[in-house]
Amino acid sequence: MNKITKSMYGLRYFDEIAQNDTVIHKLNPLVKLLASFFYILTAVSFNKYEIVALIPLAIYPSIVFNLGDIKVMPVLKRSLLVLPLIMLVGISNPILDKEAVVIFENMVVSRGILSYISLIIKSTLSVMCGMLLIATTSVDDIAKALGSLHVPKIFIMVFLLTYRYTYVLIEEFSTISTSYFLRAPGQKGIHHNLWGPLLGQLLMRTYDRAQSIYSAMCLRGYQGEYYTAKNIFRINDYVYLILCVVFLLLVRFYNVPVILGNIMTGAF
């Protein structure tokens, strides 16, 4: 199985687990979208030197993993794919900000290192939150939630069609690459002389496939509008959203680890 096929099955994995029947999956998609938005907003709003105060934010993903019956490693692997980019973006922090600060009794580090670690933690938690949203909510449900927020329909359609066309592109490329390697056994990679012809063939095949999909949509009544059912909120949805907001407010405005440490050491 080549890397492209593995990537395709990796994308399919999230679509499959999004159809599970758990407590989290049954929640209204708008509630999960709002909870994810508030979570990411809370994470990025912390001071750039905060590290300890970010630790309680790991509670929310842990709860979603457990209630949604989601395996940790597949989500974690895909969340860490952006880690090299994050590290590259913040690599200048330790160089530019060299002011020393004492974090423990005898441990002195620069503020740049603190901001660098904080950036990595914030970004990783935010990406993981987005991954968990996709793992617990189908793309159609996310589109429905965006429609409930009165996002312009053109943006929703572009989002949906782009997501679906990505599958078409990957599937066609997987077919072409499999055919190539069956005709060239033992060869490592595709010869550079064939990159142009294969790319042209890929675009033509995906275009024809997309046209077939669009024709099928039109035969089923599609007229340029994306219709969704009305979002119905239940008690569980309100309770989940309220608890998430209260938790995020507590974490944001109170340094929970420090408070717990003071209580345990008898400082209060």
Side-chain angles (χ1 to χ4, degrees), residues 1 42 64 88 173:
M1 185 184 296
T42 301
V64 176
L88 182 63
F173 188 82

Side-chain angles (χ1 to χ4, degrees), residues 128-236:
M128 185 177 295
C129 179
M131 290 290 182
L132 288 174
L133 175 63
I134 298 174
T136 57
T137 315
S138 66
V139 175
D140 291 329
D141 286 338
I142 294 177
K144 181 168 65 174
L146 292 174
S148 301
L149 295 175
H150 301 289
V151 175
K153 292 182 179 179
I154 183 63
F155 292 112
I156 298 176
M157 288 306 305
V158 169
F159 164 69
L160 282 173
L161 294 178
T162 301
Y163 184 82
R164 298 304 180 193
Y165 187 76
T166 301
Y167 278 117
V168 175
L169 187 66
I170 294 176
E171 288 175 358
E172 292 298 334
F173 188 82
S174 177
T175 302
I176 292 174
S177 62
T178 301
S179 301
Y180 175 84
F181 289 117
L182 287 174
R183 291 168 173 81
Q187 182 173 322
K188 294 183 179 180
I190 299 175
H191 197 276
H192 62 86
N193 290 336
L194 297 176
W195 288 359
L198 288 182
L199 180 59
Q201 186 179 2
L202 174 65
L203 293 177
M204 292 300 297
R205 287 172 65 96
T206 52
Y207 179 79
D208 290 339
R209 179 83 176 277
Q211 284 290 345
S212 300
I213 295 174
Y214 177 73
S215 298
M217 292 170 60
C218 292
L219 289 173
R220 288 166 174 79
Y222 175 72
Q223 297 179 348
E225 293 286 340
Y226 183 74
Y227 299 100
T228 59
K230 185 178 180 181
N231 268 327
I232 300 176
F233 280 78
R234 296 171 297 177
I235 296 178
N236 293 343

Side-chain angles (χ1 to χ4, degrees), residues 14-29 32 64 67-70 132-138 141 234:
F14 282 94
D15 276 349
E16 290 173 0
I17 62 175
Q19 305 301 323
N20 290 347
D21 189 23
T22 65
V23 176
I24 296 294
H25 288 80
K26 290 180 180 178
L27 291 173
N28 191 295
K32 289 181 281 187
V64 176
L67 295 181
D69 193 20
I70 302 170
L132 288 174
L133 175 63
I134 298 174
T136 57
T137 315
S138 66
D141 286 338
R234 296 171 297 177

Side-chain angles (χ1 to χ4, degrees), residues 12 46 86 114 123 176 207 218 248 251 258:
R12 292 291 188 192
F46 276 91
I86 297 169
L114 289 179
S123 303
I176 292 174
Y207 179 79
C218 292
L248 293 174
V251 172
V258 172

Side-chain angles (χ1 to χ4, degrees), residues 35-49:
S36 300
F37 172 76
F38 288 134
Y39 179 87
I40 295 173
L41 184 64
T42 301
V44 300
S45 66
F46 276 91
N47 186 282
K48 65 179 181 178
Y49 301 118

